[in-house]
Amino acid sequence: MIRMALDSPMETAEPENVEKEISGTGETVQSSFWNRLTAGKKVIAVELDPPEDADLTRFMNGVREMKAAGADIITIADCPIGRARMDSSLLACKIKRDEDMEAIPHMTCRDRNINATKALMMGQYAEGLRNVLLVTGDPVPSSQKDEVKAVYQFNSRKLARFAVSLNEMVFPEPMHFFGALNLNARNFDIQLNLAKEKEEAGICGFLTQPVLTPAAFENLKRAREKLNGYILGGIIPVVSERNARFMDSEINGINVDPQLFELYAGRNREEAEELAEEISSIIAERIAPYVDGFYLMTPFLRTGLMARIIRHIHEL
């Protein structure tokens, strides 16, 4: 049955608006994030990088600050750039238990086979998580390939199909699975076709790469026209000229308008953050008509900057 779920297309239906009991508990789990999204209210998701060590102090302080600022949900990358960090799903569970705030863990195809994926998703469900972002995952750095082996039993569409099949076979009430959408792809037609395949597999919405160029903005408008799922538009504050040039040249999926290099040249940290706040707020206002919410990516855990941007978004 698992192999059929992976290899065969599925017919998917919209989740029913009927509350189902969690087996054996008599309780239901409500996702306020999902309820706001389906009610047509623009949601705010904030990504925080998981720690590289066992110290959670700064991360959890960031979660509290984002909650106080008015974020709806925290997103957590799954070992970004293929390097080990604290587990995204365990962090999402901790955020829900300790801070009474929802979180979306990212899940990659890179590190788990079918059994590990199913086991983890059942654990997520038992802990009350109801929203997950499914992504391919960054490759393992070449310097670590002798020690770290990628799994990649799935691609992102097969992972989506398998995950959605658990709603039919395992979970008493549905989980909501999101996908990634690269607005900065050189050939965006390919990205749109992949996104449509993900929707056919049961993906309910997309978190996009950041909008930092006119081309990305135009691709966002095309996505709005062509896709049926919810779209959370990506925003990442640029915090220095060096940061802009690094993202443009080294980070897969991010393109930066060259004009930003000049705007940030010669600015100190305070001046650059003020500019980042202004530009991010302008981007949020510009993309608002084409998105169902905002996906804010926090640079270097600068949560104070993100809190100010969130306040601007609430004023739109």
Side-chain angles (χ1 to χ4, degrees), residues 156-173:
S156 57
R157 280 91 65 211
K158 285 187 176 181
L159 177 57
R161 190 178 301 121
F162 175 69
V164 172
S165 75
L166 299 181
N167 281 338
E168 301 295 328
M169 298 185 294
V170 177
F171 302 142
E173 58 182 3

Side-chain angles (χ1 to χ4, degrees), residues 41-153:
K41 298 177 181 177
K42 282 189 166 50
V43 296
I44 299 175
V46 181
E47 180 172 302
L48 297 177
D49 284 337
E52 297 179 88
D53 55 25
D55 185 357
L56 270 174
T57 305
R58 191 178 178 198
F59 179 86
M60 294 305 293
N61 285 341
V63 170
R64 296 180 193 105
E65 191 170 6
M66 295 302 91
K67 181 180 179 180
D72 295 291
I73 200 162
I74 300 296
T75 81
I76 312 159
D78 185 4
C79 295
I81 64 171
R83 298 182 184 276
R85 286 178 178 253
M86 196 171 290
D87 184 83
S88 60
S89 293
L90 290 177
L91 279 178
C93 295
K94 182 174 180 63
I95 290 169
K96 183 172 176 58
R97 285 197 308 269
D98 292 1
E99 304 301 329
D100 191 27
M101 186 175 188
E102 290 189 83
I104 302 180
H106 301 197
M107 283 190 63
T108 72
C109 308
R110 180 190 54 232
D111 301 324
R112 303 173 190 87
N113 64 13
I114 293 174
N115 279 352
T117 299
K118 183 176 181 181
L120 179 57
M121 286 185 172
M122 288 192 293
Q124 290 172 340
Y125 184 93
E127 284 289 333
L129 302 186
R130 291 296 180 268
N131 306 283
V132 179
L133 175 66
L134 306 177
V135 295
T136 300
D138 300 320
V140 173
S142 56
S143 61
Q144 296 186 5
K145 286 187 176 179
D146 290 340
E147 299 178 359
V148 181
K149 303 300 182 184
V151 177
Y152 286 119
Q153 187 168 359

Side-chain angles (χ1 to χ4, degrees), residues 150-198:
V151 177
Y152 286 119
Q153 187 168 359
F154 305 97
N155 60 36
S156 57
R157 280 91 65 211
K158 285 187 176 181
L159 177 57
R161 190 178 301 121
F162 175 69
V164 172
S165 75
L166 299 181
N167 281 338
E168 301 295 328
M169 298 185 294
V170 177
F171 302 142
E173 58 182 3
M175 292 183 70
H176 313 120
F177 297 106
F178 294 81
L181 179 63
N182 184 3
L183 300 177
N184 299 296
R186 184 170 299 177
N187 188 336
F188 188 62
D189 288 334
I190 293 177
Q191 288 298 308
L192 275 180
N193 289 335
L194 291 175
K196 290 176 183 177
E197 290 181 22
K198 292 177 185 179

Side-chain angles (χ1 to χ4, degrees), residues 220-231:
L220 175 63
K221 292 197 291 185
R222 288 185 62 199
R224 178 80 288 170
E225 293 173 358
K226 301 295 184 181
L227 300 177
N228 298 316
Y230 299 103
I231 297 177

Side-chain angles (χ1 to χ4, degrees), residues 232-254:
L232 274 61
I235 299 174
I236 186 168
V238 176
V239 295
S240 68
E241 180 188 2
R242 180 181 179 184
N243 176 229
R245 292 186 182 277
F246 180 82
M247 288 195 294
D248 188 61
S249 63
E250 302 295 332
I251 304 299
N252 185 38
I254 299 181

